[in-house]
Amino acid sequence: NNLRHWVDNHMPQGFYTSGELNEYIKAAIPIAIKLTQMLVDETQTEPAIKLTSCNDLSIEFSAGEVIGIAALRTSQVIGTLDRLASLGAILSELFSGCVLPSRNAEAASGCLDELVLGANEDQKTGMLSYD
């Protein structure tokens, strides 16, 4: 079972109450803690592996408790800062249910780069008001 399947099966869908969302968050917090601990332990014993989404992680439960999280792929070794960014993307996906776009996809779509690069305040306001 990978973490993406867990998110899909547990994230409230459609119209949901704040209580349903709170229950999801309470269930996701132990996973986030275990994932963070796994990454801390990993960097002390072996090279850091880039993770791009919850699809890259398997998750094990016993009696409703998270007992393990492991990386499914070992494709690219990365440095500490990239690993922190990777953790941030995974945690964002865990709590929001949405996969963050990659830097390459964001640059190709121009979603943030056009606003930041070379635009003055009037241009930024105009771009935002027509979106």
Side-chain angles (χ1 to χ4, degrees):
N1 195 8
N2 74 28
L3 186 53
R4 180 74 241 170
H5 290 129
W6 185 91
V7 170
D8 290 342
N9 291 334
H10 291 85
M11 173 73 71
Q13 301 295 317
F15 293 108
Y16 52 83
T17 67
S18 61
E20 290 171 318
L21 184 59
N22 287 340
E23 287 303 313
Y24 174 78
I25 291 170
K26 287 178 190 175
I29 287 173
I31 295 170
I33 292 169
K34 191 75 164 177
L35 175 60
T36 304
Q37 185 61 50
M38 179 198 86
L39 297 180
V40 167
D41 293 344
E42 178 184 86
T43 58
Q44 294 171 1
T45 60
E46 56 190 67
I49 300 162
K50 183 176 184 178
L51 302 172
T52 56
S53 80
C54 290
N55 283 321
D56 296 337
L57 296 165
S58 70
I59 186 167
E60 294 179 61
F61 291 94
S62 178
E65 298 286 320
V66 178
I67 60 168
I69 298 177
L72 296 173
R73 298 183 248 284
T74 58
S75 59
Q76 183 180 4
V77 175
I78 58 174
T80 303
L81 290 178
D82 287 333
R83 186 57 163 184
L84 288 173
S86 178
L87 173 61
I90 298 292
L91 293 176
S92 175
E93 184 179 349
L94 174 63
F95 287 105
S96 73
C98 300
V99 179
L100 293 177
S102 69
R103 285 178 144 181
N104 294 339
E106 184 179 285
S109 72
C111 56
L112 291 179
D113 294 336
E114 288 179 15
L115 283 175
V116 175
L117 298 177
N120 65 35
E121 289 303 314
D122 292 335
Q123 290 169 323
K124 290 177 190 175
T125 304
M127 285 181 207
L128 292 174
S129 64
Y130 293 111
D131 284 348

